[in-house]
Structure formats: structure tokens, C-alpha cells
Amino acid sequence: MRARSLWLLTEPLHAVTYFDEECRGLGKALGLKGFWMGYFASRTAPLGAVEPSLATAVLGVFAPGMVARALPAAWQLVSPTHVLEERARRAAGALRGIHPGLDETAAELSGPLLTIVEDAPVVARPLFAANRALCDHADPVERLWQLSTALREFRGDAHLCVLADEGLDGCEALVLSAGAGRVPKDTIRQDRGWTEEEWAAAADRLRSRGLLDRRGDATDRGRQERNRIEEETDRLAAQLLRPLSRPQTDRLLEGLEDVVRRILAADVLPFPNPIGLPHPDESEAQV
């Protein structure tokens, strides 16, 4: 499915902001306390100086307590505008370090990506809507990164809608994903801030629905449920490609593929990873 290919070829562009060393130092450079305060500030800054309750709702899978340790304290140290400027600058720097000739390619890719972003619906997609308003960077690589970010947040917003429709809360969604092998089972709980008790309670709820076994692995029914969630997310994300013809889409994907190949060759992104991006050698994409 081309919509899935679009995700696989834009997520690595966006994800340098989490894994490149310079990007990971954003919070410290801004006077924030550690990586996670910088993460929550930069991820939610497009929405303004949000409170933790709103941030928790739009991010979906982070424990409320983890978010509350970062927000609103971050806004007492730095403005959302400053965070946005710095995150774009650092992301572009990381991408140029990987692909020194990216400026020309970025200008070529930004046209069709902007067409997609401008056409996409914003209703019930808060992070996408907030990021779409930021896609006017004069710097071509910053613009490419921001367009990719808007697209991945569109898919993320859609994914949360699917999870909610399936009756899964944030912790349950992670437990099921870990049980299905889509995210690292040994670290994802801590990465998203859930306590052992909260994790165990979510696992119990999934077992009562027949989705998880006693070892914490997804049952056949659980894997089918997780696959259905992914397929529905793909279906909703397919709206992104409406304004492009099939040949235009194929040319865009080919152009993105060259950039992503360089990112993967640079070993910036770890596999497996907490964002669920699959290794390119894997036949089944994960979220």
C-alpha cells in the first residue's frame, strides 16, 4: 500500500530528531532538565504552551505522570517558539550531515509533500493541524523535515483514533504491541513512563479479552487485533495521497527512498526502536 510506503519513507526523516546526538541534546541546550523534558516540549510546542492533561491526550501512549514531570515546567524555562526554531535547525543539521547534497533534493520533494499536507483534513487531528501551520520554512531542509513531521503526526493522530475505537487505552496499546513484537518488550514500559503495576493491570485487562497469554505474548486473536489496527490506520492515512496521481506518488516515493537509504546507512536509527519503525529487511511494517 502506497500510504504505508509513505510512512516508511517519511518516519526516518522525522525520527532523526529523537536519535541524532545533536538533536537529542536540544533540551539541555535550552536549559531544560534532560532528554524527556526536551522531548515533551518539542513534540507539543506546535500546540503552544500546553498543560500536561492536553499533552497526555494528544500523545496517547505516555503515562500521565511522565508528561506532568516535564510540562508545564518546561514553559517556565523556554517558549514554544524558541523550541520550534531550535528543533528544526538541529533536525536540518542532522540531515545535512547524513546527506550533504540534500538541499536540492529537499526542494524537489517539498512540492508534492506540501500538496499532500495542504490537502489533508485537520478535523480530529490536532498534532497534524498544529504542525501543518509550521511548513513555511525558508530553509529547504528544515521545510522537508517539517513536512515529514506533519505527515507522521497525521498518521499518529489517525492511529490514536483507531486505538480508541478498538477500546484500547494508551498502556493497553503498548502492552499489546510489545506482546506482538512490534516494540521492544523489555524497555517500552519504562520508555513511556508506566509503572510495573499499571503495566500488569493493563496486561490483565488484555488477557480478559483473550488478546494476551500468561507470558505476556499476544495470542492469535491479539495478533489479529493488532494487524486490524494497523490496517485501519493505513486506510485512514491513505487520505494523504488523494491529491497526487499514481505516477506522481511513485516519483515522490522514489525520491524519498534515496534519502532514507542514506539515513539508514548512517546507523542513526536503532533497530528495534520504541517508535516501532521496522528494519527495512523486515517484510511486515510495525508501529
Side-chain angles (χ1 to χ4, degrees):
M1 177 181 284
R2 284 173 170 78
R4 192 164 192 80
S5 296
L6 182 65
W7 170 62
L8 293 171
L9 294 172
T10 51
E11 185 74 11
L13 272 162
H14 166 79
V16 298
T17 195
Y18 307 133
F19 300 111
D20 173 80
E21 284 303 313
E22 183 179 357
C23 292
R24 288 179 65 85
L26 179 147
K28 183 178 180 180
L30 294 177
L32 302 179
K33 299 175 182 178
F35 169 78
W36 284 112
M37 182 176 278
Y39 171 90
F40 288 116
S42 64
R43 183 91 188 276
T44 64
L47 298 164
V50 296
E51 293 295 320
S53 57
L54 175 57
T56 300
V58 298
L59 297 178
V61 295
F62 287 91
M66 185 179 187
V67 180
R69 286 191 290 273
L71 304 176
W75 309 130
Q76 298 172 10
L77 302 170
V78 65
S79 70
T81 299
H82 191 185
V83 173
L84 292 172
E85 292 170 350
E86 188 67 11
R87 77 166 188 167
R89 185 186 69 79
R90 287 176 179 253
L95 290 172
R96 283 192 172 100
I98 294 167
H99 188 344
L102 183 57
D103 283 63
E104 182 177 349
T105 302
E108 295 172 356
L109 294 173
S110 292
L113 288 175
L114 183 60
T115 297
I116 292 172
V117 167
E118 289 182 337
D119 180 76
V122 297
V123 174
R125 293 170 176 84
L127 275 175
F128 166 70
N131 276 277
R132 185 170 77 167
L134 304 173
C135 292
D136 58 351
H137 291 271
D139 182 290
V141 180
E142 288 186 15
R143 184 166 63 252
L144 174 64
W145 180 82
Q146 182 58 54
L147 287 164
S148 299
T149 297
L151 292 178
R152 74 94 63 172
E153 296 295 18
F154 182 98
R155 183 184 177 88
D157 288 339
H159 189 60
L160 291 183
C161 289
V162 176
L163 293 177
D165 191 51
E166 294 293 329
L168 293 171
D169 64 27
C171 191
E172 291 166 351
L174 287 173
V175 173
L176 183 58
S177 288
R182 293 178 176 270
V183 292
K185 194 174 184 179
D186 56 342
T187 58
I188 194 64
R189 177 185 66 78
Q190 298 95 319
D191 282 341
R192 297 299 179 256
W194 300 99
T195 66
E196 292 183 2
E197 293 77 14
E198 290 168 331
W199 195 261
D204 285 342
R205 294 193 296 274
L206 293 176
R207 289 190 189 95
S208 72
R209 295 171 59 176
L211 303 179
L212 211 67
D213 65 21
R214 291 186 178 182
R215 297 173 301 177
D217 295 328
T219 61
D220 288 344
R221 181 179 172 186
R223 290 181 183 278
Q224 291 171 2
E225 174 78 359
R226 192 58 187 73
N227 289 339
R228 183 166 60 251
I229 288 168
E230 202 63 22
E231 290 167 1
E232 186 64 10
T233 302
D234 287 340
R235 185 186 69 80
L236 294 176
Q239 298 176 71
L240 290 169
L241 294 175
R242 291 183 307 188
L244 299 185
S245 67
R246 178 162 291 199
Q248 287 174 322
T249 298
D250 289 342
R251 285 195 296 272
L252 171 61
L253 296 177
E254 288 172 6
L256 289 168
E257 186 174 1
D258 178 64
V259 178
V260 169
R261 189 182 300 115
R262 293 170 184 263
I263 294 172
L264 296 177
D267 290 328
V268 175
L269 310 182
F271 296 97
N273 50 72
I275 61 175
L277 184 69
H279 191 279
D281 293 337
E282 295 180 15
S283 60
E284 182 186 4
Q286 303 173 16
V287 164

